[in-house]
């Protein structure tokens, strides 16, 4: 059966028919960033990829020969895994980095077995170019954007609304100085890929999103998204201090002392020394609610920059009622043609 070559646009249109999607790159390349739903069946492992790449700079023929030997060795595992996952004759998508040597080698063998193999011409690099072209042009998605002080349940509202984009979940960061509580963030490429995959399902639709700054931790929002999420309907969400404290305690209850102390050092120039010392003392006493109150009133509220272009104000103390009001805003906007 022939191996089919498709450009990025054609390949993405065909993707829904793939029984499995193979990333033939090394595990390190795959972990850094990969196409949605891909599985890593590598043609060369990390050590082999590095060895062949280094040799390629001085002796291309020898490097290709060595690479071919390693690919032949690894093909046994690839064939076994593909056969276990899907029957012969199924449609399979495959890609590598850019040149195509790895995906071509694996793809040809699978096509000879009888699988219908669709190779992404230009590999992950072609996909990335397609992603960046999409993100660099104006978005057709229309946004209802939630703004408001820290602890007003904006993120929880986003998760209760549909369709929505949860930027903090995608970035694995809560968008504040304490935001790295959940560990390492994805790479910028991986973050942009996830945004692309989400946005292509939302073209010409009305979507809820939180009004994040241009940066979320170490990651940057594409300019097109940042501008689009401020040019739709802007909603200011408020909540009582009691509710906000409860929200913060829930989000940050697992903060350990080392992480807390590190974050407090970062905000020291922006918080009154007396308030800072009290927050540290209350943390050591495990009075997290009081810590939250101090940080909200003495730090977060003082550094929060309000959006001047607000269209609607809602209160989230009654969470279910707030969700209902936001859904009404979406329905009315659609009905009245406000977008």
């Amino acid at each position: 059966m022939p191996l089919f070559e498709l450009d990025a646009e054609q390949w993405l249109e065909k993707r829904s028919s793939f029984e499995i999607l193979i990333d033939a790159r090394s595990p390190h390349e795959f972990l850094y960033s990969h196409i949605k739903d891909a599985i890593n069946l590598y043609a060369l492992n990390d050590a082999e990829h590095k060895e062949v790449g280094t040799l390629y700079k001085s002796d291309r023929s020898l490097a290709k020969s060595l690479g071919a030997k390693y690919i032949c060795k690894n093909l046994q595992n690839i064939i076994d895994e593909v056969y276990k996952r899907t029957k012969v004759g199924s449609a399979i998508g495959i890609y590598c980095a850019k040149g195509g040597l790895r995906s071509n080698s694996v793809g040809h063998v699978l096509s000879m077995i009888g699988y219908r193999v669709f190779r992404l011409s230009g590999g992950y690099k072609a996909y990335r170019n397609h992603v960046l072209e999409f993100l660099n042009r104006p978005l057709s998605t229309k946004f209802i954007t939630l703004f408001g002080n820290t602890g007003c349940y904006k993120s929880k509202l986003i998760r209760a609304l549909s369709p929505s984009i949860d930027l903090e979940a995608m970035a694995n960061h809560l968008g504040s100085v304490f935001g790295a509580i959940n560990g390492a963030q994805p790479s910028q490429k991986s973050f942009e890929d996830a945004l692309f995959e989400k946005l292509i399902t939302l073209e010409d639709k009305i979507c809820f999103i939180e009004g994040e700054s241009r940066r979320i931790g170490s990651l940057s929002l594409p300019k097109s998204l940042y501008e689009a999420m401020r040019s739709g309907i802007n909603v200011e969400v408020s909540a009582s201090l009691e509710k906000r404290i409860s929200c913060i305690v829930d989000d940050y209850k697992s903060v350990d002392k080392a992480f807390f102390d590190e974050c407090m050092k970062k905000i020291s120039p922006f918080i009154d020394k007396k308030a800072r010392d009290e927050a540290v003392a209350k943390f050591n006493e495990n009075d997290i609610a009081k810590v939250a109150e101090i940080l909200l009133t003495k730090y977060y509220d003082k550094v929060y920059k309000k959006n001047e272009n607000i269209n609607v104000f809602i209160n989230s103390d009654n969470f279910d009622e707030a969700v209902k009001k936001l859904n009404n805003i979406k329905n009315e906007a659609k009905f009245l043609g406000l977008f």
Side-chain angles (χ1 to χ4, degrees), residues 217-288:
S218 63
L219 302 175
S220 298
L221 290 180
K223 184 180 178 182
S224 59
L225 176 58
Y226 183 77
E227 291 178 348
M229 60 196 264
R230 280 164 167 72
S231 61
I233 296 176
N234 297 330
V235 180
E236 180 79 18
V237 181
S238 63
S240 64
L241 181 58
E242 180 184 3
K243 288 287 188 179
R244 295 173 65 203
I245 290 171
S246 176
C247 179
I248 294 300
V249 169
D250 187 48
D251 283 345
Y252 295 97
K253 58 189 174 186
S254 61
V255 169
D256 62 34
K257 180 170 173 53
F259 181 76
F260 178 79
D261 289 343
E262 180 185 350
C263 293
M264 290 303 293
K265 285 181 182 178
K266 292 179 182 178
I267 69 171
S268 288
F270 312 103
I271 186 173
D272 178 77
K273 183 179 183 301
K274 182 179 177 181
R276 182 198 65 194
D277 292 345
E278 184 183 4
V280 171
K282 291 300 179 182
F283 183 86
N284 292 333
E285 295 171 12
N286 201 33
D287 189 350
I288 306 303

Side-chain angles (χ1 to χ4, degrees), residues 17 27 51 55 60 64 78 81 124 126 185 213 225 339:
S17 69
E51 182 184 0
L55 182 59
R60 293 189 177 187
K64 289 180 179 180
I78 295 172
E81 190 64 30
Y124 181 68
Q185 293 187 261
S213 62
L225 176 58
F339 282 121

Side-chain angles (χ1 to χ4, degrees), residues 95-299:
Y95 67 93
C96 56
K98 55 180 180 179
L101 291 176
R102 288 178 284 180
S103 58
N104 249 324
S105 301
V106 174
H108 275 299
V109 171
L110 293 176
S111 66
M112 289 173 65
I113 293 171
Y115 291 101
R116 291 178 292 126
V117 182
F118 297 85
R119 194 180 81 87
L120 173 57
S121 181
Y124 181 68
K125 184 176 181 180
Y127 170 82
R128 280 292 300 166
N129 288 338
H130 187 80
V131 168
L132 293 175
E133 286 174 10
F134 178 90
L135 294 177
N136 284 333
R137 61 177 185 255
L139 301 178
S140 64
T141 306
K142 309 301 181 184
F143 290 102
I144 298 174
T145 307
L146 308 189
F147 295 92
N149 293 74
T150 301
C152 291
Y153 289 90
K154 300 185 298 297
S155 296
K156 291 178 177 62
L157 286 168
I158 289 296
R159 290 161 196 158
L161 295 161
S162 181
S164 65
I165 296 178
D166 189 346
L167 291 173
E168 292 185 355
M170 283 186 177
N172 195 35
H173 198 280
L174 299 183
S176 71
V177 70
F178 289 86
I181 185 174
N182 293 320
Q185 293 187 261
S187 66
Q188 181 69 32
K189 284 184 178 180
S190 185
F191 179 60
E192 290 169 350
D193 291 353
L195 284 174
F196 165 76
E197 296 288 354
K198 183 69 175 180
L199 286 166
I200 59 174
T201 69
L202 296 170
E203 289 187 281
D204 302 317
K205 294 183 179 179
I206 300 174
C207 175
F208 293 97
I209 197 166
E210 186 173 346
E212 302 286 353
S213 62
R214 187 74 191 274
R215 291 187 67 82
I216 307 178
S218 63
L219 302 175
S220 298
L221 290 180
K223 184 180 178 182
S224 59
L225 176 58
Y226 183 77
E227 291 178 348
M229 60 196 264
R230 280 164 167 72
S231 61
I233 296 176
N234 297 330
V235 180
E236 180 79 18
V237 181
S238 63
S240 64
L241 181 58
E242 180 184 3
K243 288 287 188 179
R244 295 173 65 203
I245 290 171
S246 176
C247 179
I248 294 300
V249 169
D250 187 48
D251 283 345
Y252 295 97
K253 58 189 174 186
S254 61
V255 169
D256 62 34
K257 180 170 173 53
F259 181 76
F260 178 79
D261 289 343
E262 180 185 350
C263 293
M264 290 303 293
K265 285 181 182 178
K266 292 179 182 178
I267 69 171
S268 288
F270 312 103
I271 186 173
D272 178 77
K273 183 179 183 301
K274 182 179 177 181
R276 182 198 65 194
D277 292 345
E278 184 183 4
V280 171
K282 291 300 179 182
F283 183 86
N284 292 333
E285 295 171 12
N286 201 33
D287 189 350
I288 306 303
K290 187 61 179 179
V291 174
E293 179 185 347
I294 294 167
L295 292 178
L296 285 172
T297 58
K298 303 298 183 180
Y299 171 67

Side-chain angles (χ1 to χ4, degrees), residues 45-85:
N45 66 29
D46 290 336
E48 293 162 350
H49 182 237
K50 183 177 181 181
E51 182 184 0
V52 171
T54 301
L55 182 59
Y56 191 80
K57 296 174 184 177
S58 58
D59 192 331
R60 293 189 177 187
S61 296
L62 185 57
K64 289 180 179 180
S65 176
L66 179 62
K69 288 166 60 178
Y70 284 145
I71 290 172
C72 288
K73 173 179 68 72
N74 294 323
L75 270 168
Q76 178 177 336
N77 176 64
I78 295 172
I79 293 168
D80 287 345
E81 190 64 30
V82 171
Y83 190 81
K84 182 173 69 177
R85 288 173 177 265

